[in-house]
Amino acid sequence: MGTMDNIIEVSPLADERVAPMAPPLPGTATISYNQKGYLMNGSQQRGYCCVSTSTKELWDRLFDEGYRADVSINTDSGGTIYAHSNILGMASPVIKNMLKKSKRRGRQRSISIPGVPHDAVRAFIRYLYSSCYEKEDMEEFVLPLLVLSHAYVVPELKQVCVQRLEQSLLTIENVIDIFQLALLCDAPRLSFICHRMILRNIKAVSATEGWQAMKQSHPILERVLLQSKIDEDKRQEDRIRKINEGKIYLQLYEAMEALVHICRDGCRTIGPHDKDFKVNQSPCNYAACKGLELLVRHFAACKLRVPGGCIHCKRMWQLLELHSRLCENSDICRVPLCRTFREKIRRQSKKDEIKWRILGKKILRTKTIAGAPFFSSAIASST
């Protein structure tokens, strides 16, 4: 008798795991196949879809013909839909529980889905079979389908209904009904979109039949919406007020820059006494410079000039005081009266000091500046 080595020939690849050959690709005529992904319920999914059209049609035929169906679904108006318990139970945990509790008559079980039209229930059950729906059914029964998908825990269909409502089926006439339904069906994004649409069109929406029905059945919700509109208007007013305040602070900032520019460098025909003006000068880059130049000329020539005597001079006094509060070094600043106002600040009341300090912070906050602002460095060019 020979040894085992003489009887069995051991392959050198016996200990290696070799992957089996991949099956051939299905024919393109009947198979929908996409390596980048596939469309399911209108949304892009990762992976591969090798479900043929004939397979989907087979599921639809199984539902339409009711072959060996063991469940009868009773709907309103005495309608009956035949289906298969295994499919329904796998698609919906709620229906699975209903089937367990239902009474059996032979092989048949019977459950009821009331409260929605018969055709809506039929479109819902058909979706449980093949995840497909007719476009006309979705447009006509989108609200009943949303209710059914929420009540029987079919999240894929619920997502489809919400997307269709968000994209194309929301109108002024139905937004109140959909808003209430979104609250009941736990669809936060849909309820948020409806809420925004109601607030933007409150006058038109409040004249619809849906609003009047809500007013009778849910008066608290009406008060909540009206209060939301009041709060939204108030927030809008606050936003507009802050925008306008920001523009004023920006103008003051630009005025401070132009004031330093005029007093330190000079601009066109106005500037420090030792400035040598050229005949042909380049245009000034400071937007507030022209208006401030006219104000400075008026201030220099005005005979009243006291703080309360002339409105233009009063404005100039305020600009000079504001500059002195923002200036970092009044000892070498070339803006007139900067040091004088600094000494006046020490004698001011605490209330006035706080008021000016808040104004200065808001002006500086308007412009995001690295280091000291330009107008706080009004230093003589000779230094």
Side-chain angles (χ1 to χ4, degrees), residues 1-10:
M1 181 179 292
T3 64
M4 293 295 293
D5 291 339
N6 295 331
I7 299 174
I8 302 175
E9 181 180 358
V10 181

Side-chain angles (χ1 to χ4, degrees), residues 20 34 65 72 106 111 113 140 154 170 216 221 227 231 243 252 260 279 290 297 322 329 336 338 348 372 383:
N34 187 352
E65 297 178 6
S72 59
I111 60 174
I113 301 182
E140 183 177 359
V154 185
L170 267 179
Q216 297 295 327
L221 184 57
Q227 185 62 45
D231 295 340
I243 291 173
L252 288 173
V260 172
V279 178
K290 185 175 181 180
R297 289 185 181 279
L322 178 60
N329 195 341
C338 183
Q348 275 187 337
T383 60

Side-chain angles (χ1 to χ4, degrees), residues 93-108:
V94 177
I95 296 180
K96 182 178 183 180
N97 190 46
M98 291 172 60
L99 291 171
K100 287 181 179 180
K101 296 180 179 180
S102 64
K103 294 182 179 180
R104 183 191 296 270
R105 295 181 180 177
R107 290 185 59 257
Q108 291 291 323

Side-chain angles (χ1 to χ4, degrees), residues 8-18:
I8 302 175
E9 181 180 358
V10 181
S11 171
L13 299 179
D15 294 336
E16 298 181 6
R17 295 184 178 179
V18 181

Side-chain angles (χ1 to χ4, degrees), residues 251-282:
Q251 291 172 358
L252 288 173
Y253 179 90
E254 292 173 348
M256 294 294 98
E257 282 189 325
L259 179 62
V260 172
H261 166 63
I262 291 174
C263 297
R264 188 187 69 177
D265 305 324
C267 182
R268 291 191 290 264
T269 60
I270 189 171
H273 62 88
D274 55 352
K275 177 71 176 179
D276 184 17
F277 293 99
K278 298 179 181 179
V279 178
N280 296 322
Q281 297 188 44
S282 59

